[in-house]
Amino acid sequence: MRVGVIGGGQLARMMVPPAIELGLKISVLAESEGSSAGIAATAVGDYRDAQTVLDFAETVDVVTFDHEHVPQEVLRALVDAGVAVHPGPDALLYAQDKLRMRERLSQLGLPVPGWAAVETPSALDAFLAEYGGRAVVKTPRGGYDGKGVRVVSSATEVADWFGDGPLLVEELVSFRRELSQVLARRPSGEIALWPVVESIQRDGVCAEVIAPAPASAGRVADMAADIATAVAENLGVTGVLAVELFETTDDRILVNELAMRPHNSGHWTIDGSTTSQFEQHLRAVLDLPLGATGCRDPWSVMVNIFGGLAPERMPLALADPTAKVHGYGKEPRPGRKAGHVTAGGEDLDDVVFRARAAAAIFED
Amino acid sequence: MRVGVIGGGQLARMMVPPAIELGLKISVLAESEGSSAGIAATAVGDYRDAQTVLDFAETVDVVTFDHEHVPQEVLRALVDAGVAVHPGPDALLYAQDKLRMRERLSQLGLPVPGWAAVETPSALDAFLAEYGGRAVVKTPRGGYDGKGVRVVSSATEVADWFGDGPLLVEELVSFRRELSQVLARRPSGEIALWPVVESIQRDGVCAEVIAPAPASAGRVADMAADIATAVAENLGVTGVLAVELFETTDDRILVNELAMRPHNSGHWTIDGSTTSQFEQHLRAVLDLPLGATGCRDPWSVMVNIFGGLAPERMPLALADPTAKVHGYGKEPRPGRKAGHVTAGGEDLDDVVFRARAAAAIFED
């Protein structure tokens, strides 16, 4: 069985180990030489070019993704050519376009922040007046890790964004914490969920994840699981789905964002679950039975490493024999996600301390 | 940090996932195209040719091995050229030559079966007379998985083996079971041991492994650990060392064979231990701190898959969501080690059943 991944980032990279373990062939269509997933890169080319992607697809049994940026017309060309594509274009649309996602989830009656599509500054100002004077404006497409997102109190703050189609404006949610529910779904319908996790962001970027989310057993976990399952089933998601959630100060759970691929909030599963999100994604897109999603430790904590993993610091980072250090094989660059550390154990304070301590070794 | 592995078999293949996870670069000098470790093969060539191996070594920071067959003169040429080689030739000699191994372990006072070096049929017949009429004859070099080993009651049964240097003859040990003690040792001396395991052979080939070995806590585990540690330290082993042991019917622990590389009896660690033998081997040969060797489950059971992993049987093998199925990406061939399954849990009978059931799916 041959899996093809479009995009050569760290998510594609982390699909390679479970592909090797399962005895699969994996190949990657990378954007450039020397990508994070370079060890599996069998082609280098532009994922926006239909012929490039079709040629790549001929070498594999199923096509999946490292990112959501493959244009709909390219995805449709694959499907028209009879290629198995997971997730498919009809589902992926809602991870590509935040406005379409908000429309669809609202139609489904799923809990979302107050939102509107605004095409003019006056429409945005009207929304601001209705929602207490501050709101979040998002470009519907292309944003990630805080890019394409601004908190504004006046339409003038996004004056540069108008004129290129409608913008999404959302209520500035008063939330207690951010959660993430990751699951996988097979084309034949089977779903497996990991426990809901707490995701701690810094500057709009995921910094730490605690699994399971503290004090989430019962109502919070049930709501998160129900919402994510409804999203997966109604949108026809195949492969891994991450549903980013707000737990509001008034005890609601609202959907923030969707990602239809392995997600930073699921990296802990490599070390902390019987089946990692990367193995599960491969199983799901190949329509193989899903693996068990139980936790290996009462608590797992993942801390991202930004910048780079200087080799001379590896001995110190590995000095804690239980710290699992992961590097993405990228050239160092300030602020870049370069790796992560996962720790596990029975005492959450201790686990947080150990994960942070190992990750901090690489800080400048 | 760049690790180079000589040999493209499944042991090299299984070093690739932890290399990717740790952010290392790994490359393989494979015997042929399409090897099990092909995804990391940066060169194809003859490991018996010093120049081929020297050229490969120039691309990496440390050279290690998938097998023990690299000739001493090639290993020495690497060392003379200033290449870091782990395990080094002085240690590897004892995994290459069973006669030298028996001599050295006897000198060290470590427990071994009765043995002799015999160059003539009459010397072998004399040994047979002394040891009850039956014994095990081994070619000192090149044997593995039961090859180069014969149980004989007369020198005529190995008449074809004489004339090419001394043979090793060993007492036919009356053993209760076979054990294996796997550890890793860094060049700087740190050692980490996994628990001693029971290894069940069929036709001279490892078929199943139970970790830890049942009823081994205490005396048996201590003896196994002490013996393996003494071997590692006295022979200057770096990287993973597997010491195959006999537990005799009169309650002795004797050394059977040595392997200075990840070993079939350690495959369970991929799923069953905080640190797999493959990750540990990489850490050890790079002289990085060793990882924790604790067990993730009270019991882990590994069952080998022989022949091949027919893709159409994967859904059935993965139907048990906790079974971890590993394929080596080899062309199917009768009797060939093609993969393995590991299961874990609290009830040994149940774990054995589940591991065997998943592996049996691939049987003809």
Side-chain angles (χ1 to χ4, degrees), chain B residues 40-311:
Chain B
T42 56
V44 171
D46 185 349
Y47 58 77
R48 295 164 301 188
D49 178 68
Q51 195 56 52
T52 299
V53 176
L54 281 164
D55 290 346
F56 174 71
E58 277 198 5
T59 67
V60 298
D61 298 313
V62 61
V63 167
T64 189
F65 309 96
D66 172 77
H67 57 68
E68 290 105 348
H69 307 318
V70 180
Q72 280 284 321
E73 54 272 24
V74 174
L75 298 171
R76 306 255 170 221
L78 285 173
V79 172
D80 291 346
V83 176
V85 179
H86 294 293
D90 291 344
L92 211 45
L93 176 63
Y94 300 104
Q96 293 179 320
D97 188 317
K98 293 172 186 173
L99 205 43
R100 299 292 295 271
M101 182 268 283
R102 282 282 176 252
E103 284 168 1
R104 186 86 169 98
L105 298 194
S106 296
Q107 283 167 3
L108 291 168
L110 291 168
V112 295
W115 68 275
V118 293
E119 297 210 52
T120 61
S122 62
L124 175 52
D125 282 330
F127 186 94
L128 285 163
E130 186 184 348
Y131 280 92
R134 289 184 79 206
V136 185
V137 182
K138 297 178 177 176
T139 56
R141 286 171 174 270
Y144 69 98
D145 279 355
K147 294 179 183 66
V149 177
R150 285 185 200 160
V151 177
V152 305
S153 48
S154 159
T156 56
E157 293 171 62
V158 285
D160 53 321
W161 282 0
F162 281 105
D164 195 27
L167 297 173
L168 171 63
V169 56
E170 295 178 347
E171 167 191 8
L172 190 64
V173 173
S174 172
F175 61 85
R176 191 177 290 133
R177 58 180 177 172
E178 293 189 65
L179 304 172
S180 178
Q181 175 65 61
V182 185
L183 61 74
R185 181 172 177 274
R186 291 170 66 182
S188 54
E190 186 193 2
I191 288 179
L193 299 95
W194 288 273
V196 67
V197 301
E198 178 172 348
S199 164
I200 297 152
Q201 321 282 120
R202 283 196 204 103
D203 303 325
V205 181
C206 176
E208 295 182 14
V209 169
I210 302 172
S216 64
R219 186 187 148 278
V220 170
D222 290 348
M223 288 177 70
D226 288 349
I227 290 167
T229 301
V231 170
E233 291 182 339
N234 284 289
L235 271 48
V237 179
T238 45
V240 164
L241 167 71
V243 181
E244 295 180 43
L245 301 159
F246 293 123
E247 182 180 337
T248 67
T249 48
D250 59 351
D251 289 316
R252 292 175 301 152
I253 304 287
L254 304 178
V255 176
N256 181 19
E257 307 265 356
L258 305 182
M260 294 181 193
R261 48 167 172 76
H263 187 257
N264 203 160
S265 65
H267 289 358
W268 68 275
T269 58
I270 298 174
D271 304 298
S273 177
T274 304
T275 309
S276 83
Q277 65 168 346
F278 298 99
E279 176 180 344
Q280 199 78 301
H281 188 71
L282 297 173
R283 293 166 78 137
V285 302
L286 287 164
D287 206 13
L288 290 167
L290 300 180
T293 52
C295 295
R296 284 172 166 161
D297 290 295
W299 298 106
S300 291
V301 172
M302 191 248 23
V303 177
N304 276 336
I305 299 167
F306 296 94
L309 274 74

